[in-house]
Amino acid sequence: MVFLMYHEIESPGRPLCQGAPGYVRYVVREKDFRAQMDHLKHNGWRGVEVGEALKFDPSTAALTFDDGCATDLLVAAPILREIGFGATFYITAGFLGKPGYLTQAQLRELSSLGFQIGCHSMTHAYLSDLDEAGLRREIIDSKNQLEQLIGKPVEHFSCPGGRYNQRAIAMVRNEGYRTLATSNSRTNSADTDCFELGRVPVMRETTLRDFESYCHGRGLWRLRIRESLRHIGKRVLGNTLYDRLRARTLHG
Ligand SMILES: [Zn+2]
């Protein structure tokens, strides 16, 4: 089954959290998001949070949102509630209260509406770049902070920028999380390692036809080719230089 990965949802008249092309390509328009959710509903799918997705019921699709943008509560949550879907919102703890992101009160509200809250690190640092102390801050301190805010256990983690290594996996596994979600475009089954779950990105230019294919686990090879090209770029250039070049060369 598929775990879908969303980021900010663009709502008419509302400025985005960030404007770099590499960010905007992950921002889905509200009308497209609504069409995608309607498509699921009308075709017999149920959108569920990660905790429930681990039952791997083939009629479900896990809905996940990274970063903790205010549009999680203001745009996505009302649409999801209208059709009775669950979702997991992975929050970057250190972004709470920054312009465009959820405030602490909004995070509590999102949680009290029944949506699952996961952790997406403290500062959105790339885990593969960090030493032990850095990993502890991003994986453990962030979890503790989120749990204090919502008063519930935070048991699911997603990797900033989709980047991780074996040390990061080991810490997530040993510090009370039940799953780690990557940005690797593949489906998951009962045989999948819960600490390396695949997720399929829904992007600004994803058509409803692509979306439908992804939900059936089809056409993911195209996304994987793009991913491997990015991985090669990162390995050759290093994360920081790669991001800088990409921000400069990508248009749209
Ligand atoms: Zn992120």
Side-chain angles (χ1 to χ4, degrees):
M1 65 170 282
V2 73
F3 283 46
L4 297 170
M5 174 175 69
Y6 287 95
H7 291 79
E8 184 169 16
I9 306 292
E10 181 174 13
S11 179
R14 189 184 159 85
L16 298 181
C17 289
Q18 296 179 38
Y23 178 87
V24 177
R25 57 201 281 273
Y26 284 96
V27 176
V28 171
R29 296 173 189 86
E30 180 178 358
K31 66 173 173 53
D32 293 334
F33 178 68
R34 187 179 283 278
Q36 289 157 4
M37 293 304 107
D38 285 345
H39 178 84
L40 288 179
K41 183 87 180 174
H42 292 142
N43 288 279
W45 297 85
R46 204 158 42 87
V48 296
E49 59 176 45
V50 169
E52 193 178 343
L54 298 175
K55 295 175 189 159
F56 300 107
D57 175 341
S59 69
T60 59
L63 303 177
T64 74
F65 296 78
D66 279 3
D67 295 346
C69 299
T71 58
D72 289 355
L73 176 73
L74 303 177
V75 185
I79 293 173
L80 295 170
R81 276 164 63 80
E82 216 179 285
I83 53 176
F85 283 179
T88 298
F89 293 93
Y90 293 107
I91 309 300
T92 307
F95 286 1
L96 290 170
K98 289 194 173 171
Y101 293 90
L102 294 166
T103 63
Q104 294 186 355
Q106 286 175 321
L107 172 65
R108 277 190 219 102
E109 191 182 340
L110 190 61
S111 171
S112 69
L113 290 173
F115 292 106
Q116 184 168 53
I117 303 301
C119 180
H120 189 55
S121 84
M122 184 69 90
T123 69
H124 211 271
Y126 299 143
L127 301 183
S128 49
D129 293 343
L130 301 177
D131 61 9
E132 187 75 8
L135 285 178
R136 294 193 73 81
R137 180 186 67 232
E138 302 297 335
I139 294 170
I140 303 171
D141 297 353
S142 52
K143 179 183 200 286
N144 293 338
Q145 199 168 306
L146 292 171
E147 287 178 341
Q148 272 175 15
L149 281 169
I150 64 171
K152 290 178 202 164
V154 170
E155 300 177 316
H156 304 280
F157 187 89
S158 75
C159 302
R163 289 168 228 194
Y164 62 98
N165 54 21
Q166 290 306 316
R167 284 192 310 133
I169 291 180
M171 191 177 286
V172 168
R173 189 191 287 271
N174 294 331
E175 296 296 337
Y177 288 101
R178 290 168 56 207
T179 69
L180 176 146
T182 69
S183 309
N184 303 330
S185 300
R186 53 172 187 245
T187 54
N188 301 313
S189 69
D191 296 331
T192 306
D193 181 351
C194 285
F195 291 93
E196 213 166 350
L197 291 169
R199 283 191 302 165
V200 176
V202 184
M203 302 178 68
R204 193 172 190 81
E205 300 313 330
T206 302
T207 63
L208 199 54
R209 204 191 159 112
D210 293 336
F211 180 82
E212 183 177 9
S213 303
Y214 297 167
C215 292
H216 289 281
R218 291 194 300 254
L220 303 182
W221 61 272
R222 266 184 241 115
L223 296 171
R224 284 198 291 266
I225 287 178
R226 259 182 266 158
E227 270 161 31
S228 17
L229 291 175
R230 280 203 294 275
H231 280 302
I232 293 168
K234 280 171 214 160
R235 209 162 295 159
V236 173
L237 300 168
N239 281 336
T240 314
L241 183 59
Y242 174 82
D243 281 350
R244 229 182 281 155
L245 283 177
R246 220 166 81 102
R248 213 177 295 164
T249 53
L250 265 183
H251 300 284

